[in-house]
Coordinates of all heavy atoms in Angstrom, one line a residue:
Q947 N -15.9 -54.7 39.1 CA -14.8 -53.8 39.6 C -13.5 -54.4 39.4 O -12.5 -53.8 38.9 CB -15.1 -53.4 41.0 CG -14.0 -52.4 41.6 CD -14.2 -52.1 43.0 OE1 -13.2 -52.0 43.8 NE2 -15.5 -52.0 43.5
N948 N -13.4 -55.7 39.8 CA -12.1 -56.4 39.8 C -11.6 -56.6 38.3 O -10.4 -56.5 38.0 CB -12.2 -57.8 40.5 CG -12.3 -57.7 42.0 OD1 -11.8 -56.7 42.5 ND2 -12.9 -58.6 42.6
D949 N -12.6 -56.9 37.4 CA -12.2 -57.1 36.0 C -11.7 -55.8 35.4 O -10.8 -55.9 34.6 CB -13.5 -57.6 35.2 CG -13.7 -59.1 35.4 OD1 -12.8 -59.8 35.8 OD2 -14.9 -59.5 35.3
I950 N -12.3 -54.7 35.8 CA -11.9 -53.4 35.2 C -10.4 -53.1 35.7 O -9.6 -52.7 35.0 CB -12.8 -52.3 35.6 CG1 -14.2 -52.5 34.9 CG2 -12.2 -50.9 35.3 CD1 -15.3 -51.5 35.4
L951 N -10.2 -53.4 37.0 CA -8.9 -53.2 37.6 C -7.8 -54.1 36.9 O -6.7 -53.7 36.6 CB -8.9 -53.4 39.1 CG -9.6 -52.3 39.9 CD1 -9.8 -52.7 41.4 CD2 -8.8 -51.0 39.8
D952 N -8.2 -55.4 36.7 CA -7.3 -56.3 36.1 C -7.0 -55.9 34.7 O -5.8 -56.0 34.3 CB -7.9 -57.7 36.0 CG -8.0 -58.4 37.4 OD1 -7.3 -57.9 38.3 OD2 -8.7 -59.4 37.5
L953 N -8.0 -55.4 34.0 CA -7.7 -54.9 32.6 C -6.7 -53.8 32.5 O -5.7 -53.9 31.7 CB -9.1 -54.5 32.0 CG -8.9 -53.8 30.6 CD1 -8.5 -54.9 29.5 CD2 -10.3 -53.2 30.2
Y954 N -6.9 -52.8 33.3 CA -6.1 -51.6 33.2 C -4.8 -51.7 34.0 O -3.8 -50.9 33.7 CB -6.9 -50.4 33.6 CG -7.9 -49.9 32.6 CD1 -9.2 -50.2 32.7 CD2 -7.5 -49.3 31.4 CE1 -10.2 -49.9 31.8 CE2 -8.4 -48.9 30.5 CZ -9.7 -49.2 30.6 OH -10.7 -48.8 29.7
Q955 N -4.7 -52.6 35.0 CA -3.5 -52.7 35.8 C -2.7 -53.9 35.4 O -1.5 -54.0 35.9 CB -3.9 -52.7 37.2 CG -4.5 -51.3 37.7 CD -4.8 -51.3 39.2 OE1 -4.7 -52.3 39.9 NE2 -5.2 -50.1 39.6
E956 N -3.3 -54.9 34.7 CA -2.5 -56.1 34.4 C -2.5 -56.4 32.9 O -1.4 -56.4 32.2 CB -3.1 -57.3 35.1 CG -2.9 -57.2 36.6 CD -3.5 -58.4 37.4 OE1 -3.7 -59.5 36.7 OE2 -3.7 -58.3 38.6
N957 N -3.7 -56.6 32.3 CA -3.8 -57.0 30.9 C -3.1 -56.0 29.9 O -2.2 -56.3 29.1 CB -5.2 -57.2 30.5 CG -5.8 -58.4 31.2 OD1 -6.5 -58.2 32.2 ND2 -5.6 -59.6 30.7
I958 N -3.6 -54.7 30.0 CA -3.1 -53.7 29.1 C -1.6 -53.4 29.3 O -0.8 -53.4 28.4 CB -3.9 -52.4 29.2 CG1 -5.3 -52.7 28.6 CG2 -3.3 -51.3 28.4 CD1 -6.3 -51.5 28.6
P959 N -1.1 -53.2 30.6 CA 0.3 -53.0 30.8 C 1.2 -54.2 30.2 O 2.2 -53.9 29.7 CB 0.4 -52.9 32.3 CG -0.9 -52.3 32.7 CD -1.9 -53.0 31.9
S960 N 0.7 -55.4 30.4 CA 1.5 -56.6 29.9 C 1.5 -56.5 28.4 O 2.6 -56.8 27.8 CB 0.8 -57.9 30.4 OG 0.9 -58.0 31.8
L961 N 0.4 -56.2 27.8 CA 0.4 -56.1 26.3 C 1.3 -55.0 25.8 O 2.1 -55.2 24.9 CB -1.1 -55.8 25.8 CG -1.3 -55.5 24.4 CD1 -0.8 -56.7 23.5 CD2 -2.7 -55.2 24.1
L962 N 1.2 -53.8 26.4 CA 2.1 -52.7 26.0 C 3.5 -53.0 26.2 O 4.4 -52.6 25.4 CB 1.7 -51.4 26.8 CG 0.2 -50.9 26.5 CD1 0.0 -49.6 27.3 CD2 0.1 -50.6 25.0
S963 N 3.9 -53.7 27.3 CA 5.2 -54.1 27.5 C 5.8 -55.0 26.4 O 6.9 -54.8 25.9 CB 5.4 -54.8 28.9 OG 6.7 -55.3 29.1
S964 N 4.9 -56.0 26.0 CA 5.3 -56.9 24.9 C 5.5 -56.2 23.6 O 6.5 -56.4 22.9 CB 4.3 -58.0 24.7 OG 4.3 -58.9 25.8
T965 N 4.6 -55.3 23.2 CA 4.7 -54.6 22.0 C 5.8 -53.6 22.0 O 6.5 -53.4 21.0 CB 3.3 -53.9 21.6 OG1 3.0 -53.0 22.7 CG2 2.2 -54.9 21.4
S966 N 6.1 -53.0 23.1 CA 7.2 -52.1 23.3 C 8.5 -52.8 23.0 O 9.4 -52.3 22.3 CB 7.2 -51.4 24.6 OG 8.3 -50.5 24.8
N967 N 8.7 -54.0 23.6 CA 9.9 -54.7 23.4 C 10.1 -55.1 22.0 O 11.2 -55.1 21.4 CB 9.9 -56.0 24.3 CG 10.0 -55.7 25.8 OD1 10.6 -54.6 26.1 ND2 9.6 -56.5 26.6
Y968 N 9.0 -55.5 21.3 CA 9.0 -55.9 19.9 C 9.4 -54.7 19.0 O 10.3 -54.8 18.1 CB 7.7 -56.4 19.5 CG 7.7 -57.0 18.1 CD1 8.0 -58.4 17.9 CD2 7.3 -56.2 17.0 CE1 8.0 -58.9 16.6 CE2 7.4 -56.8 15.7 CZ 7.7 -58.1 15.5 OH 7.7 -58.6 14.2
I969 N 8.9 -53.5 19.3 CA 9.2 -52.3 18.5 C 10.7 -52.0 18.7 O 11.3 -51.5 17.8 CB 8.3 -51.2 18.9 CG1 6.8 -51.5 18.4 CG2 8.8 -49.9 18.3 CD1 5.8 -50.5 18.9
D970 N 11.2 -52.2 20.0 CA 12.6 -51.9 20.2 C 13.5 -52.8 19.3 O 14.5 -52.3 18.8 CB 13.0 -52.2 21.7 CG 12.4 -51.1 22.6 OD1 12.1 -50.0 22.1 OD2 12.4 -51.3 23.8
R971 N 13.1 -54.1 19.2 CA 13.9 -55.0 18.4 C 13.7 -54.6 16.9 O 14.7 -54.7 16.1 CB 13.4 -56.4 18.6 CG 13.6 -57.0 20.0 CD 13.6 -58.5 20.0 NE 12.3 -59.0 19.5 CZ 11.2 -59.2 20.2 NH1 11.2 -58.9 21.5 NH2 10.2 -59.8 19.7
K972 N 12.5 -54.1 16.5 CA 12.3 -53.8 15.1 C 13.1 -52.5 14.8 O 13.5 -52.3 13.6 CB 10.8 -53.6 14.9 CG 10.5 -53.7 13.4 CD 9.0 -54.0 13.2 CE 8.7 -54.4 11.8 NZ 7.3 -54.6 11.5
N973 N 13.3 -51.6 15.8 CA 14.1 -50.4 15.5 C 15.5 -50.8 15.2 O 16.2 -50.1 14.4 CB 14.0 -49.5 16.7 CG 12.7 -48.7 16.8 OD1 12.1 -48.4 15.7 ND2 12.3 -48.3 17.9
I974 N 16.0 -51.8 15.8 CA 17.4 -52.3 15.4 C 17.4 -52.7 14.0 O 18.4 -52.5 13.2 CB 17.8 -53.5 16.3 CG1 17.9 -53.0 17.8 CG2 19.1 -54.1 15.9 CD1 18.1 -54.2 18.8
F975 N 16.3 -53.4 13.5 CA 16.2 -53.8 12.1 C 16.2 -52.6 11.2 O 16.8 -52.5 10.2 CB 14.9 -54.7 12.0 CG 14.6 -55.1 10.6 CD1 15.3 -56.1 10.0 CD2 13.6 -54.5 9.9 CE1 15.1 -56.5 8.7 CE2 13.3 -54.9 8.6 CZ 14.0 -55.9 8.0
F976 N 15.4 -51.6 11.6 CA 15.3 -50.3 10.8 C 16.7 -49.7 10.7 O 17.0 -49.1 9.6 CB 14.3 -49.4 11.4 CG 12.9 -49.8 11.4 CD1 11.9 -49.4 12.3 CD2 12.4 -50.7 10.4 CE1 10.6 -49.8 12.3 CE2 11.1 -51.1 10.3 CZ 10.2 -50.7 11.3
Q977 N 17.4 -49.7 11.8 CA 18.7 -49.0 11.8 C 19.7 -49.8 10.8 O 20.5 -49.1 10.1 CB 19.3 -49.0 13.2 CG 18.6 -48.1 14.2 CD 19.0 -48.3 15.6 OE1 20.0 -49.0 15.9 NE2 18.2 -47.7 16.5
Y978 N 19.5 -51.1 10.8 CA 20.4 -51.9 9.9 C 20.0 -51.6 8.4 O 20.9 -51.4 7.6 CB 20.2 -53.4 10.2 CG 20.9 -54.2 9.2 CD1 22.3 -54.3 9.2 CD2 20.2 -55.0 8.2 CE1 23.0 -55.0 8.2 CE2 20.9 -55.8 7.3 CZ 22.3 -55.8 7.3 OH 23.0 -56.5 6.4
L979 N 18.7 -51.5 8.1 CA 18.3 -51.2 6.8 C 18.8 -49.8 6.4 O 19.2 -49.6 5.2 CB 16.7 -51.2 6.7 CG 16.1 -52.6 6.9 CD1 14.6 -52.5 6.6 CD2 16.7 -53.6 6.0
Q980 N 18.7 -48.9 7.3 CA 19.1 -47.5 7.0 C 20.6 -47.4 6.6 O 21.0 -46.6 5.8 CB 18.8 -46.6 8.2 CG 18.9 -45.1 7.9 CD 18.4 -44.3 9.1 OE1 18.6 -44.7 10.3 NE2 17.9 -43.1 8.8
K981 N 21.4 -48.3 7.3 CA 22.8 -48.3 7.0 C 23.2 -49.0 5.7 O 24.2 -48.6 5.1 CB 23.6 -49.0 8.1 CG 23.6 -48.2 9.5 CD 24.6 -48.9 10.4 CE 24.1 -50.3 10.7 NZ 25.0 -50.9 11.7
T982 N 22.4 -49.9 5.3 CA 22.8 -50.8 4.2 C 22.0 -50.6 2.9 O 22.5 -51.0 1.8 CB 22.6 -52.3 4.6 OG1 21.3 -52.5 5.1 CG2 23.6 -52.6 5.7
I983 N 20.8 -50.1 2.9 CA 20.0 -49.9 1.7 C 20.5 -48.7 0.9 O 20.8 -47.6 1.5 CB 18.5 -49.8 2.0 CG1 18.0 -51.1 2.5 CG2 17.8 -49.3 0.8 CD1 16.5 -51.0 2.9
H984 N 20.7 -48.9 -0.4 CA 21.0 -47.8 -1.3 C 20.3 -48.0 -2.6 O 19.9 -49.1 -3.0 CB 22.5 -47.7 -1.4 CG 23.2 -48.9 -2.1 ND1 23.7 -49.9 -1.3 CD2 23.3 -49.3 -3.4 CE1 24.2 -50.8 -2.1 NE2 24.0 -50.5 -3.3
R985 N 20.2 -46.9 -3.3 CA 19.5 -46.9 -4.6 C 20.4 -47.6 -5.7 O 21.6 -47.4 -5.7 CB 19.2 -45.5 -5.1 CG 18.0 -44.9 -4.3 CD 17.6 -43.6 -5.0 NE 18.7 -42.6 -5.1 CZ 18.7 -41.5 -5.8 NH1 17.7 -41.2 -6.6 NH2 19.8 -40.7 -5.8
I986 N 19.7 -48.4 -6.5 CA 20.4 -49.0 -7.7 C 20.1 -48.1 -8.9 O 21.0 -47.7 -9.7 CB 19.9 -50.4 -7.9 CG1 20.3 -51.3 -6.7 CG2 20.5 -51.0 -9.2 CD1 19.8 -52.7 -6.7
T987 N 18.8 -47.8 -9.0 CA 18.4 -46.9 -10.1 C 17.4 -45.9 -9.4 O 17.2 -46.0 -8.2 CB 17.6 -47.6 -11.2 OG1 16.4 -48.1 -10.7 CG2 18.4 -48.7 -11.8
D988 N 16.8 -45.0 -10.2 CA 15.9 -44.0 -9.6 C 14.7 -44.7 -9.0 O 14.0 -44.1 -8.1 CB 15.5 -43.0 -10.7 CG 16.6 -42.1 -11.1 OD1 17.5 -42.0 -10.3 OD2 16.5 -41.4 -12.1
S989 N 14.3 -45.9 -9.5 CA 13.1 -46.5 -9.0 C 13.3 -47.8 -8.2 O 12.4 -48.5 -7.8 CB 12.2 -46.8 -10.2 OG 12.9 -47.7 -11.1

């Protein structure tokens, strides 16, 4: 019972918090690419 509670109330929330923060930082990277990338040729 304790392990199940720890998993869903501690382990998974901590993991999701870390990945969410990383994705937020990556979205900054995506925004930069969107502003600066342009086509040189059709391909």
Side-chain angles (χ1 to χ4, degrees):
Q947 183 185 141
N948 289 334
D949 282 336
I950 292 171
L951 288 170
D952 286 347
L953 173 66
Y954 286 102
Q955 295 182 352
E956 294 180 19
N957 295 95
I958 290 178
S960 294
L961 172 60
L962 294 179
S963 176
S964 290
T965 55
S966 177
N967 290 335
Y968 187 87
I969 292 171
D970 286 344
R971 296 199 303 273
K972 203 162 191 184
N973 283 331
I974 296 172
F975 177 74
F976 292 152
Q977 290 168 14
Y978 175 69
L979 295 185
Q980 193 173 31
K981 288 189 302 182
T982 54
I983 290 179
H984 61 266
R985 287 189 301 167
I986 297 175
T987 68
D988 288 343
S989 59

